[in-house]
PDB file of all heavy atoms in Angstrom:
ATOM      1  N   ASN A   8      35.970   8.276  13.094  1.00  0.00           N
ATOM      2  CA  ASN A   8      34.864   7.533  12.495  1.00  0.00           C
ATOM      3  C   ASN A   8      35.397   6.390  11.638  1.00  0.00           C
ATOM      4  O   ASN A   8      36.594   6.249  11.458  1.00  0.00           O
ATOM      5  CB  ASN A   8      33.958   8.464  11.682  1.00  0.00           C
ATOM      6  CG  ASN A   8      34.686   9.168  10.571  1.00  0.00           C
ATOM      7  OD1 ASN A   8      35.443   8.554   9.837  1.00  0.00           O
ATOM      8  ND2 ASN A   8      34.463  10.467  10.450  1.00  0.00           N
ATOM      9  N   ILE A   9      34.487   5.615  11.100  1.00  0.00           N
ATOM     10  CA  ILE A   9      34.865   4.412  10.366  1.00  0.00           C
ATOM     11  C   ILE A   9      34.662   4.583   8.856  1.00  0.00           C
ATOM     12  O   ILE A   9      34.552   3.616   8.122  1.00  0.00           O
ATOM     13  CB  ILE A   9      34.087   3.207  10.920  1.00  0.00           C
ATOM     14  CG1 ILE A   9      34.705   1.911  10.471  1.00  0.00           C
ATOM     15  CG2 ILE A   9      32.626   3.277  10.546  1.00  0.00           C
ATOM     16  CD1 ILE A   9      34.386   0.759  11.378  1.00  0.00           C
ATOM     17  N   CYS A  10      34.646   5.819   8.389  1.00  0.00           N
ATOM     18  CA  CYS A  10      34.381   6.104   6.980  1.00  0.00           C
ATOM     19  C   CYS A  10      35.544   5.792   6.050  1.00  0.00           C
ATOM     20  O   CYS A  10      35.353   5.774   4.836  1.00  0.00           O
ATOM     21  CB  CYS A  10      33.983   7.571   6.807  1.00  0.00           C
ATOM     22  SG  CYS A  10      32.328   7.928   7.428  1.00  0.00           S
ATOM     23  N   ASN A  11      36.703   5.573   6.562  1.00  0.00           N
ATOM     24  CA  ASN A  11      37.838   5.225   5.713  1.00  0.00           C
ATOM     25  C   ASN A  11      37.595   3.853   5.087  1.00  0.00           C
ATOM     26  O   ASN A  11      37.270   2.893   5.779  1.00  0.00           O
ATOM     27  CB  ASN A  11      39.109   5.202   6.582  1.00  0.00           C
ATOM     28  CG  ASN A  11      40.351   4.942   5.776  1.00  0.00           C
ATOM     29  OD1 ASN A  11      40.386   4.015   4.965  1.00  0.00           O
ATOM     30  ND2 ASN A  11      41.366   5.750   6.022  1.00  0.00           N
ATOM     31  N   GLU A  12      37.772   3.758   3.774  1.00  0.00           N
ATOM     32  CA  GLU A  12      37.456   2.515   3.061  1.00  0.00           C
ATOM     33  C   GLU A  12      38.300   1.333   3.540  1.00  0.00           C
ATOM     34  O   GLU A  12      37.773   0.229   3.706  1.00  0.00           O
ATOM     35  CB  GLU A  12      37.643   2.691   1.557  1.00  0.00           C
ATOM     36  CG  GLU A  12      36.474   3.346   0.886  1.00  0.00           C
ATOM     37  CD  GLU A  12      36.601   3.321  -0.623  1.00  0.00           C
ATOM     38  OE1 GLU A  12      36.856   2.245  -1.183  1.00  0.00           O
ATOM     39  OE2 GLU A  12      36.434   4.390  -1.213  1.00  0.00           O
ATOM     40  N   THR A  13      39.566   1.540   3.757  1.00  0.00           N
ATOM     41  CA  THR A  13      40.412   0.420   4.191  1.00  0.00           C
ATOM     42  C   THR A  13      40.039  -0.017   5.599  1.00  0.00           C
ATOM     43  O   THR A  13      40.002  -1.214   5.889  1.00  0.00           O
ATOM     44  CB  THR A  13      41.907   0.800   4.127  1.00  0.00           C
ATOM     45  OG1 THR A  13      42.129   1.977   4.905  1.00  0.00           O
ATOM     46  CG2 THR A  13      42.349   1.030   2.691  1.00  0.00           C
ATOM     47  N   LEU A  14      39.743   0.954   6.459  1.00  0.00           N
ATOM     48  CA  LEU A  14      39.328   0.627   7.823  1.00  0.00           C
ATOM     49  C   LEU A  14      37.990  -0.119   7.802  1.00  0.00           C
ATOM     50  O   LEU A  14      37.826  -1.145   8.478  1.00  0.00           O
ATOM     51  CB  LEU A  14      39.206   1.909   8.654  1.00  0.00           C
ATOM     52  CG  LEU A  14      38.798   1.752  10.110  1.00  0.00           C
ATOM     53  CD1 LEU A  14      39.832   0.936  10.860  1.00  0.00           C
ATOM     54  CD2 LEU A  14      38.632   3.117  10.746  1.00  0.00           C
ATOM     55  N   PHE A  15      37.063   0.349   7.002  1.00  0.00           N
ATOM     56  CA  PHE A  15      35.758  -0.287   6.891  1.00  0.00           C
ATOM     57  C   PHE A  15      35.898  -1.693   6.301  1.00  0.00           C
ATOM     58  O   PHE A  15      35.263  -2.644   6.768  1.00  0.00           O
ATOM     59  CB  PHE A  15      34.815   0.560   6.021  1.00  0.00           C
ATOM     60  CG  PHE A  15      33.395   0.072   6.024  1.00  0.00           C
ATOM     61  CD1 PHE A  15      32.528   0.446   7.031  1.00  0.00           C
ATOM     62  CD2 PHE A  15      32.935  -0.770   5.029  1.00  0.00           C
ATOM     63  CE1 PHE A  15      31.209  -0.006   7.049  1.00  0.00           C
ATOM     64  CE2 PHE A  15      31.623  -1.223   5.027  1.00  0.00           C
ATOM     65  CZ  PHE A  15      30.758  -0.839   6.048  1.00  0.00           C
TER      66      PHE A  15
END
Side-chain angles (χ1 to χ4, degrees):
N8 59 46
I9 196 156
C10 288
N11 184 312
E12 278 188 50
T13 56
L14 181 62
F15 188 84

